[in-house]
Amino acid sequence: MRALPPLLAMLLLAACAQAPVRNPLATWVPSPNFNVRQPVIIVLHFTQQDSVQESLDTLRSENSAGKVSSHYLVGDDGRIYQLVSDLDRAWHAGGGRWGTITDLNSASIGIEIDNDGREPYTEPQIAAVIRLLQDLTTRFGIPGSQVIGHSDLAPTRKVDPGAHFPWQRLFEAGFGIWPQGELVDPPPGFDPWLAMARIGYAVDGGEDARAAAVRAFHQRFRGRDDGDDPVAVFEAEDLRILHALVRGASPQSSAD
Ligand SMILES: [Zn+2]
């Protein structure tokens, strides 16, 4: 057989990689009744790198720390890059849990934001993230409350998007959660760990996991970084915030 011209061979290979998977063990009797992946949650990250170009390289290459990707990357000038289709599973979340979701990469859309972890986010960048969230939540019917940080789902491993991320601003635009109304002391018997679990944090993994969850909570709701040695202790203000967060929460839907 004559060898295929290199370009044609490449095109055929690419086509094969995209072809629908049909199991040779079975007879293919296609049904029209299916749909593509439906993401139900959105995860925000910081890149912890110095430039958008560096992150574009990391997210598209064999990375020394393992291959990673995200659906989107938002530059500090507000430019939005897309690297993976919304319908495909990008590799941004890794191991972790949020509520009952354990395979976060399958369930989510990942947005990396160009920020080194020490600097404030820029105005055009946050405006772009909000525009992107408006688009994604509308197109996929994702509730605005289902926007979380990487540190929320993997508090023992991750600290992004960090204490500088403006979660209150995001909430005012309709995304994430934030305590509403007057902050008051919770009633006697209030269990802060139950409240954390109700919000979505995994707090059943022992002392280290609980301490890490408290650090993630402080980053997100108090704009504060507890550093490398967090403790599993809530302050009075934490309890007031937790109480306000679960007081405002509607009962969990059985479909969750
Ligand atoms: Zn991350």
Side-chain angles (χ1 to χ4, degrees):
M1 209 171 92
R2 204 160 57 90
L4 289 167
L7 181 62
L8 181 58
M10 236 169 64
L11 286 174
L12 284 174
L13 276 174
C16 286
Q18 298 299 322
V21 177
R22 297 177 191 179
N23 191 333
L25 294 175
T27 304
W28 176 241
V29 279
S31 166
N33 306 335
F34 70 98
N35 58 4
V36 293
R37 187 182 87 103
Q38 291 292 310
V40 295
I41 192 164
I42 299 173
V43 180
L44 304 182
H45 305 258
F46 61 43
T47 56
Q48 208 166 11
Q49 292 188 322
D50 294 325
S51 72
V52 82
Q53 189 55 56
E54 186 184 353
S55 301
L56 284 171
D57 293 343
T58 302
L59 295 166
R60 299 162 64 231
S61 63
E62 307 263 346
N63 187 30
S64 55
K67 290 184 193 174
V68 291
S69 63
S70 66
H71 295 90
Y72 297 95
L73 169 65
V74 180
D76 59 10
D77 59 357
R79 186 162 170 190
I80 303 172
Y81 302 82
Q82 182 169 16
L83 300 96
V84 175
S85 161
D86 297 332
L87 307 179
D88 289 332
R89 181 179 183 273
W91 303 340
H92 60 96
R97 206 176 88 201
W98 185 251
T100 55
I101 305 175
T102 52
D103 181 356
L104 267 298
N105 278 337
S106 288
S108 69
I109 288 179
I111 302 175
E112 287 279 356
I113 308 169
D114 175 30
N115 179 287
D116 66 9
R118 299 182 299 275
E119 62 197 356
Y121 288 84
T122 70
E123 174 54 37
Q125 194 167 44
I126 295 304
V129 169
I130 288 172
R131 265 201 323 280
L132 183 55
L133 290 175
Q134 282 163 343
D135 163 63
L136 293 170
T137 53
T138 303
R139 279 196 292 118
F140 292 104
I142 300 173
S145 59
Q146 290 283 83
V147 178
I148 66 169
H150 200 184
S151 54
D152 292 323
L153 72 92
T156 57
R157 297 187 301 114
K158 295 292 174 180
V159 295
D160 59 317
H164 290 297
F165 191 77
W167 284 106
Q168 183 173 4
R169 163 103 188 268
L170 219 68
F171 178 75
E172 284 158 6
F175 305 107
I177 56 171
W178 195 256
Q180 291 174 277
E182 199 190 344
L183 293 184
V184 295
D185 289 332
F190 176 77
D191 182 343
W193 299 109
L194 214 58
M196 288 287 281
R198 176 109 186 263
I199 292 166
Y201 288 101
V203 293
D204 52 3
E207 189 74 3
D208 286 352
R210 288 189 169 206
V214 171
R215 178 178 60 194
F217 174 86
H218 283 157
Q219 279 168 347
R220 179 152 172 184
F221 296 102
R222 302 195 64 186
R224 185 175 108 190
D225 195 337
D226 293 344
D228 293 336
D229 294 306
V231 288
V233 174
F234 289 109
E235 299 163 5
E237 182 72 355
D238 297 337
L239 299 181
R240 289 189 278 268
I241 292 170
L242 276 170
H243 176 49
L245 287 170
V246 294
R247 186 182 55 194
S250 53
Q252 292 266 339
S253 137
S254 58
D256 283 353

